[in-house]
Amino acid sequence: MAKPFPFQIRNLKPHEAEKMKAFSGERGGFVRVGPKGYVLTQGFRDIAAEIYNLVVRLSDVYVVSYARSGTTWTQELVWLVANNLDYETAKSVLLTDRFSFIESTMLFHPKLLAELEERLKNNEVKLKQLGAFSHSILRKVAAAPSPRFIKTHLPLSLLSPKVLDAKVVYVARDPRDATVSFYYLCRSSRNAGFDGDFKTFWHYFINDLHYWTPFFEHLKEAWEKRHHPNLLFLFYEDLKKDLSHEVRKVCKFLGKQYTDDQIAVLCDHLDIKNFKYNASVNNEIWKELGLMFPKEGFIRKGKSGGWRDYFDEEMTAQAAKWMEENLRDTDLRFPHLQ
């Protein structure tokens, strides 16, 4: 019997809701969820219990992250390691079809969907593709054969209490870099449609007025479980510094063994110079469906430390203080800060 969703879902306070109107693509507004007040769209109300009650299989593999933390990169890495380096399928089947994004429906308000469907009404193929992104994916996941590959930006506490019966790969990234990347995505995607400048975006982010925030609570939930045998905690910065080393970690975690030559080929496949132009992962289909403006790209520069090009002195000092305060009660440290 399905259990009720155990956490309170409440509307934002009026002054918070007013600020978040800057995300003009989100037509229904936002809510806070649970004791930590995670910010999600109103659409989460409709799927919260279904996600919480999703039956976890021992063969499931989850990739969990805060948004723009190297999620897509990690998904492709995990899928290939788990599927015996099947590059043929990886290149011919979209990553979004290989990995189900379980809360994706909350990002597609009915008004936005209606507008997109009107634009595509004479193209049955594109309408079907739009439906795969926007219609409830949870029934599809529930009926899918094993092994299932599942992506989410939700914190562990909002997933099934049995999620760690499955394999969970969590990837974390310096919030300054993650924010820069997320700014460009929210500015270019119709379902977020952020209207402000980067400084405003950053201010909202550190004040927990942003999708899936509070950021550090999200990370700390996973960090506290990092010694669990079914959770592998990765840092984006480590993946950038020594990809082959991190690939071997993933292989060990998923019970796979590959030769040095095979790992070298995988690392080349994942190299940003190739990854950025890989049609199965770079979400060019978003542009075709009208979800993303034509000039923007889903995969950006794949850099660490690029935030320095966007932060002025005030923001740099503000970020240092914010990070210090949030890391004070934990031994979580980003690799470059150790």
Side-chain angles (χ1 to χ4, degrees):
M1 182 178 176
K3 298 177 181 177
F5 186 66
F7 302 114
Q8 181 187 18
I9 301 178
R10 58 196 186 279
N11 290 331
L12 298 185
K13 294 175 182 177
H15 72 279
E16 294 177 327
E18 185 62 31
K19 286 185 176 180
M20 290 200 72
K21 286 181 180 178
F23 293 94
S24 60
E26 174 43 54
R27 314 299 175 82
F30 297 85
V31 295
R32 289 197 182 276
V33 181
K36 295 175 182 176
Y38 288 109
V39 175
L40 303 168
T41 73
Q42 286 280 0
F44 184 71
R45 292 181 184 273
D46 299 327
I47 58 174
E50 201 172 352
I51 288 175
Y52 192 78
N53 284 289
L54 183 65
V55 176
V56 175
R57 302 177 193 167
L58 300 184
S59 57
D60 288 342
V61 181
Y62 283 71
V63 168
V64 184
S65 70
Y66 186 81
R68 307 305 282 180
S69 295
T71 321
T72 304
W73 203 26
T74 306
Q75 286 174 260
E76 181 77 345
L77 160 56
V78 165
W79 192 91
L80 281 164
V81 167
N83 287 278
N84 303 316
L85 306 179
D86 182 0
Y87 295 105
E88 184 176 346
T89 300
K91 290 176 181 178
S92 61
V93 179
L94 294 176
L95 184 62
T96 48
D97 291 333
R98 291 180 275 133
F99 252 97
S100 298
F101 183 16
I102 55 172
E103 73 266 28
S104 60
T105 51
M106 78 171 196
L107 302 174
F108 294 90
H109 190 273
K111 288 182 180 178
L112 173 64
L113 268 185
E115 291 171 10
L116 294 172
E117 287 169 351
E118 175 64 23
R119 291 181 58 188
L120 300 170
K121 63 182 179 182
N122 296 320
N123 191 324
E124 289 186 18
V125 173
K126 290 289 185 285
L127 278 173
K128 185 176 180 181
Q129 289 172 330
L130 177 64
F133 280 107
S134 56
H135 296 157
S136 180
I137 208 162
L138 288 160
R139 277 168 289 178
K140 176 184 170 186
V141 172
S146 296
R148 302 180 302 187
F149 295 86
I150 295 169
K151 163 194 168 179
T152 183
H153 294 314
L154 295 173
L156 294 179
S157 59
L158 302 187
L159 302 174
S160 166
K162 295 187 176 181
V163 67
L164 287 177
D165 287 353
K167 294 286 189 181
V168 176
V169 177
Y170 189 97
V171 59
R173 187 183 190 184
D174 185 312
R176 295 165 295 190
D177 280 326
T179 311
V180 170
S181 182
F182 209 3
Y183 168 68
Y184 279 98
L185 180 63
C186 288
R187 191 182 69 169
S188 63
S189 62
R190 292 187 188 276
N191 52 348
F194 185 75
D195 294 330
D197 59 18
F198 177 66
K199 197 165 190 174
T200 302
F201 190 89
W202 168 254
H203 178 74
Y204 286 6
F205 178 76
I206 62 174
N207 285 284
D208 304 334
L209 290 171
H210 210 302
Y211 295 84
W212 297 289
T213 57
F215 175 85
F216 276 107
E217 292 302 325
H218 198 299
L219 267 62
K220 287 175 188 177
E221 283 194 26
W223 183 251
E224 289 166 5
K225 303 284 189 184
R226 69 191 183 282
H227 299 306
H228 192 288
N230 279 349
L231 188 137
L232 177 64
F233 196 107
L234 300 175
F235 286 101
Y236 182 89
E237 291 75 18
D238 286 336
L239 286 160
K240 288 297 298 180
K241 183 179 179 181
D242 191 345
L243 181 56
S244 63
H245 181 267
E246 299 304 295
V247 166
R248 286 181 171 86
K249 275 191 194 175
V250 174
C251 292
K252 182 178 180 182
F253 180 65
L254 296 178
K256 295 287 186 175
Q257 286 189 318
Y258 298 110
T259 66
D260 290 347
D261 286 346
Q262 287 175 313
I263 289 174
V265 171
L266 176 56
C267 289
D268 187 64
H269 174 83
L270 295 168
D271 190 292
I272 188 66
K273 71 179 187 293
N274 299 318
F275 198 69
K276 189 172 184 176
Y277 301 103
N278 181 339
S280 75
V281 302
N282 64 18
N283 280 347
E284 285 295 304
I285 191 172
W286 282 25
K287 297 177 185 178
E288 297 172 19
L289 299 178
L291 291 170
M292 182 175 278
F293 300 113
K295 292 183 180 179
E296 303 291 347
F298 185 78
I299 305 293
R300 290 190 67 249
K301 297 179 180 179
K303 287 175 61 177
S304 290
W307 62 268
R308 292 179 179 86
D309 297 333
Y310 298 87
F311 281 60
D312 59 25
E313 288 185 15
E314 178 190 7
M315 294 167 69
T316 299
Q318 187 182 50
K321 181 181 178 183
W322 174 70
M323 292 173 71
E324 181 184 0
E325 288 173 351
N326 280 281
L327 292 171
R328 188 173 293 152
D329 63 347
T330 177
D331 59 354
L332 169 64
R333 295 292 182 273
F334 296 94
H336 56 92
L337 297 178
Q338 291 176 352

